[in-house]
Amino acid sequence: DTAVSQTPKYLVTQMGNDKSIKCEQNLGHDTMYWYKQDSKKFLKIMFSYNNKELIINETVPNRFSPKSPDKAHLNLHINSLELGDSAVYFCASSQDPGILAKNIQYFGAGTRLSVL
Amino acid sequence: EDKVVQSPLSLVVHEGDTVTLNCSYEVTNFRSLLWYKQEKKAPTFLFMLTSSGIEKKSGRLSSILDKKELFSILNITATQTGDSAIYLCAPAAGGTSYGKLTFGQGTILTVHP
C-alpha cells in the first residue's frame, strides 16, 4: 500500500483553467503539506495542515486553495492557471511536527502539472 | 529569510569512489536537519540529525551535524550506480513555523560503472 498517494500523476491543461490535485495518506499522521518543485529542482513549502487546521501558509497566490476534509486528505485547488504554475507538486505528511522524532516527512510521488 | 546552500551542485564519480556532500544553513528556530534522496519521484528519507557531532550511519551512508558552524555533511562510501540521485538537505524549523522544511537546491550525484 502506498503511504502517501497523489492523483493525478500528470496534469496537462490550458491557461485559465481550474484544476485540483488530491492527496491521501494512510499513515495515521496528523500533519500534511504541499510543496512545489520548480524547474530548478527547488522544493518549496506552500501549505501545511494539522488535524484539518491550516498551520503554514507561505507566500502563495490566493489562486491556490488547500482543503482538508479530514486529517488523511489534503487537496490542492488551483484557479485560473498560469504558465508559471507549471511544476511538480508534492504532498507530504508527518506524524507530529511538535515532537522532534516525529517530524520526518514522507512524500508522495508528485503531480507533474503542465500549463500550456 | 531562511537559507540553505548545498555543494557541490553536481558530482560525477565512478563506482567505488567515496563522496562528501555539504549543506550549510541559516534557519530561524532550527530544530533538526533532514537528508533526503530523490530519484525519479518522491524524496525518500535518509537521516534526521538533531545533535552536533553525533554521526548517524546507515550502511554505506553516514551524516553528521555541526550546529555551531551551521552545516551538515553526508558521506557515501563505495558508491554504486544505484546511489545516482539528487540528495536534498532540509533543516526543520519549530515555533510558528511548526515542522516547516526548507530545502536546499540539492546535489546531483551521478555514479558511473
Side-chain angles (χ1 to χ4, degrees):
Chain A
D1 275 349
T2 304
V4 182
S5 58
Q6 299 177 225
T7 54
K9 290 184 180 178
Y10 300 95
L11 190 51
V12 181
T13 188
Q14 301 286 331
M15 268 198 318
N17 284 349
D18 303 338
K19 291 292 178 186
S20 291
I21 307 172
K22 294 186 177 182
C23 179
E24 176 182 2
Q25 53 94 5
N26 63 6
L27 298 167
H29 288 171
D30 287 341
T31 307
M32 296 184 72
Y33 310 80
W34 277 110
Y35 287 85
K36 178 180 180 181
Q37 189 171 42
D38 61 23
S39 56
K40 294 182 180 178
K41 301 295 185 184
F42 269 105
L43 259 172
K44 290 186 180 175
I45 191 163
M46 301 172 71
F47 304 102
S48 79
Y49 269 74
N50 180 265
N51 271 320
K52 301 193 296 176
E53 181 183 345
L54 181 66
I55 301 297
I56 294 174
N57 185 353
E58 292 291 288
T59 308
V60 176
N62 57 15
R63 299 182 294 104
F64 290 79
S65 52
K67 285 189 171 49
S68 182
D70 55 62
K71 73 175 192 176
H73 295 84
L74 180 62
N75 303 323
L76 184 65
H77 189 75
I78 316 170
N79 288 328
S80 304
L81 278 155
E82 300 178 356
L83 293 176
D85 297 333
S86 296
V88 182
Y89 292 85
F90 285 97
C91 176
S93 73
S94 66
Q95 191 171 0
D96 183 349
I99 299 173
L100 206 57
K102 296 183 178 181
N103 191 27
I104 298 169
Q105 293 183 22
Y106 296 90
F107 284 78
T111 296
R112 183 174 293 277
L113 171 65
S114 298
V115 182
L116 307 177
Chain B
E1 186 178 327
D2 294 342
K3 187 176 172 184
V4 181
V5 177
Q6 291 186 242
S7 63
L9 291 181
S10 66
L11 196 50
V12 180
V13 299
H14 287 93
E15 273 192 321
D17 289 349
T18 293
V19 298
T20 298
L21 310 182
N22 303 295
C23 173
S24 65
Y25 63 89
E26 294 174 29
V27 169
T28 305
N29 288 323
F30 173 85
R31 294 182 80 223
S32 62
L33 187 140
L34 288 77
W35 282 96
Y36 284 85
K37 176 183 181 181
Q38 186 176 20
E39 296 174 88
K40 292 188 177 177
K41 295 185 177 177
T44 53
F45 171 74
L46 295 175
F47 295 110
M48 175 191 274
L49 304 160
T50 57
S51 302
S52 279
I54 298 175
E55 186 183 53
K56 293 250 177 141
K57 288 197 76 167
S58 177
R60 295 176 294 102
L61 277 68
S62 64
S63 185
I64 199 161
L65 174 68
D66 186 328
K67 288 165 77 172
K68 183 179 175 187
E69 299 298 330
L70 308 182
F71 78 86
S72 175
I73 61 172
L74 175 68
N75 281 317
I76 308 175
T77 59
T79 52
Q80 302 171 356
T81 54
D83 295 328
S84 296
I86 301 173
Y87 290 85
L88 298 164
C89 159
T96 55
S97 295
Y98 200 64
K100 173 183 171 183
L101 294 182
T102 301
F103 282 86
Q105 72 273 47
T107 293
I108 302 171
L109 175 64
T110 305
V111 182
H112 289 307

